[in-house]
Amino acid sequence: MKLYGSQTSPYVRRIRLLLASRPYEFINLNIFAGPDREILASINPTLRIPMLEDDAQVIFDSGVIFRYLSAKLALTALNWYQENQLIVINAVSDSLVMLLQCNRSGMDTGEDKLFFNLQRERVATSLYVLEQQAANAEFAKWDYVAMALYSLIDWTLFRELVELDDYPALLQFVADNAKQNGITQTDPRLS
Ligand SMILES: N[C@@H](CCC(=O)N[C@@H](CS)C(=O)NCC(=O)O)C(=O)O
């Protein structure tokens, strides 16, 4: 199996954490420029990572990769509540990725503009729910949802995208899981 991704992507990291104790090859791409972008374009027209190559087929999108690996490795499937938790985690991830890209495009994402306001509101409402769930110890088990949450919160800290002091349970969740298998090798700060 080959996993295409980057050291910094939170979507890639959750799959790397899932595969932490298993053999696979990690292809670390610079997706925004140069020959690596050509590799990306030749494999995935959506120009997004992660993607997984296995048995001569390529699977796009972390959610679909999780379903593929669940079937292949006989992992426990997510229940509907966990599916919703993952959607909330993805909503924060997607909005923060977009705000980061706007910021890198020279925009002031703190401006009172519809697009920025919608993303910031979604991040706040979603993080509030995740904070409550973390305080209720709903991520106490180190499963795929916990791995996705860890990847998001640690990436948010790394990129300094949100002031997380208002989310003590999420910060505690990250501290509690800092020694899980694969966390050190997948740290975005190694990029
Ligand atoms: N829904 C996708 C989202 C993946 C995603 O947004 N990946 C980012 C990196 S964190 C990306 O490839 N961005 C490239 C771009 O936006 O051009 C998934 O779950 O895999």
Side-chain angles (χ1 to χ4, degrees):
M1 276 194 300
K2 273 189 197 172
L3 179 70
Y4 293 84
S6 71
Q7 186 68 24
T8 51
S9 165
Y11 286 104
V12 172
R13 192 180 195 187
R14 56 174 79 169
I15 301 294
R16 292 179 76 193
L17 293 175
L18 186 69
L19 289 174
S21 58
R22 302 176 193 267
Y24 73 97
E25 188 183 348
F26 179 55
I27 316 284
N28 190 359
L29 299 175
N30 171 10
I31 60 165
F32 293 114
D36 284 4
R37 187 152 181 89
E38 286 167 32
I39 295 172
L40 175 68
S42 71
I43 300 173
N44 184 348
T46 72
L47 300 170
R48 287 197 169 111
I49 47 172
M51 59 236 188
L52 183 79
E53 195 179 306
D54 188 39
D55 288 339
Q57 61 184 344
V58 181
I59 313 291
F60 305 150
D61 191 284
S62 64
V64 185
I65 293 171
F66 174 70
R67 277 169 42 211
Y68 177 87
L69 290 172
S70 295
K72 184 182 170 93
L73 306 173
L75 307 176
T76 310
L78 302 183
N79 60 38
W80 296 118
Y81 187 80
Q82 291 175 307
E83 294 275 6
N84 275 350
Q85 288 180 316
L86 200 56
I87 291 297
V88 176
I89 293 166
N90 289 350
V92 179
S93 307
D94 287 342
S95 285
L96 289 180
V97 165
M98 285 189 277
L99 287 174
L100 180 63
Q101 290 177 348
C102 288
N103 191 265
R104 286 179 170 175
S105 304
M107 298 174 200
D108 175 4
T109 56
E111 263 190 293
D112 182 12
K113 297 273 189 209
L114 178 65
F115 180 78
F116 303 144
N117 293 346
L118 294 179
Q119 308 318 313
R120 282 198 309 266
E121 188 180 358
R122 181 173 11 263
V123 167
T125 53
S126 298
L127 280 181
Y128 177 76
V129 165
L130 292 170
E131 167 70 15
Q132 288 182 320
Q133 294 177 347
N136 287 339
E138 293 185 26
F139 305 110
K141 190 167 166 224
W142 188 241
D143 58 13
Y144 181 64
V145 178
M147 291 170 191
L149 180 63
Y150 187 99
S151 302
L152 166 64
I153 301 301
D154 195 41
W155 175 77
T156 304
L157 289 166
F158 163 63
R159 293 289 192 208
E160 299 179 344
L161 295 168
V162 178
E163 179 53 70
L164 288 175
D165 289 352
D166 291 340
Y167 305 97
L170 291 175
L171 290 174
Q172 189 59 49
F173 163 80
V174 167
D176 289 345
N177 286 287
K179 294 202 163 59
Q180 295 285 2
N181 195 9
I183 290 290
T184 308
Q185 303 90 308
T186 60
D187 191 329
R189 297 158 192 85
L190 296 177
S191 62

